Amino acid sequence: MNRGLFITFEGGEGSGKSSVIKKLIAELEGKFPLLLTREPGGTKISEEIRNIILDKENTDMDYKTEALLYCASRRQHLVEKVIPALEKNISVISDRYLDSSLVYQGYARGIGIDDVLSINMFAIENCIPDITFLFCIKPEVGLNRIASSSREVNRLDLEKLDFHKKVHDGYMELAERFSDRIYKVDAEKPFEEVYEQVQKKMLEKLKEHYE
Ligand code: TYD
């Protein structure tokens, strides 16, 4: 049996990716076999690991510890939820995955993209996305969106603007390095335009795979 497509969404804070995904799923559900997830994906072990990472009180967490915890959470979610679906030819859409670690831990925290990539390769064993939608937005614009919405602000949102600028630069570097799978979307455009661009590409991929 064919393996489903593994589709990921990436981007800095306030890029609007989650709203686009929500609308997309509402439209495509029932037309294609899809599973929407996000790390830690509701899996108990991943959830517990993630709670340690995002706890606002854990301000003294070592950067490599953080990277390893993300990796551990990712692996559990992958093995418990993502791979079983892909093996049933269900396409999996994940809100954030590998590239978030490469950028947030590897680039912005300064551990190095290659080191973070190598611990992740141990964890994911070559389970690389077929396509990654990268929502590109200037950090100032993204952070302003968050400030004016009601979404709860987490520990990482509170980092300085400088950190978010690094996140942006890191994503741009990845887009060049993995240009075969990373599809850039200008997320500063109005929602409808962003949505249409993503929907078009997504339909193209799904039709190519299932029809
Ligand atoms: P969340 O509120 O889920 O973010 P968003 O709505 O922006 O997707 O918070 C996830 C935070 O965790 C976000 O700031 C990015 C960060 N993160 C990493 O630093 N490394 C990772 O590997 C992942 C998956 C997320």
Side-chain angles (χ1 to χ4, degrees), residues 128-190:
I128 303 284
D130 296 292
I131 181 165
T132 298
F133 290 92
L134 174 57
F135 281 49
C136 306
I137 188 166
K138 283 193 282 298
E140 296 86 343
V141 182
L143 291 177
N144 265 334
R145 280 190 188 165
I146 294 179
S148 54
S149 81
S150 57
R151 176 179 155 285
E152 195 198 341
V153 175
N154 69 37
R155 182 170 69 84
L156 293 172
D157 289 339
L158 299 174
E159 303 281 348
K160 290 188 212 74
L161 180 62
D162 189 45
F163 179 79
H164 294 284
K165 287 189 170 145
K166 284 190 193 149
V167 167
H168 180 261
D169 294 347
Y171 272 127
M172 294 306 114
E173 191 170 315
L174 286 193
E176 279 193 22
R177 182 162 168 180
F178 303 117
S179 58
D180 51 331
R181 70 167 168 89
I182 294 184
Y183 179 76
K184 289 204 281 183
V185 178
D186 178 357
E188 286 183 29
K189 287 193 175 153

Side-chain angles (χ1 to χ4, degrees), residues 13 17 38 50 70 74 96 101 104-105 151 154:
E13 318 297 309
K17 66 180 166 49
R38 62 184 280 272
R50 177 75 166 247
Y70 270 118
R74 174 162 305 132
R96 294 195 182 280
S101 281
Y104 284 80
Q105 282 66 54
R151 176 179 155 285
N154 69 37

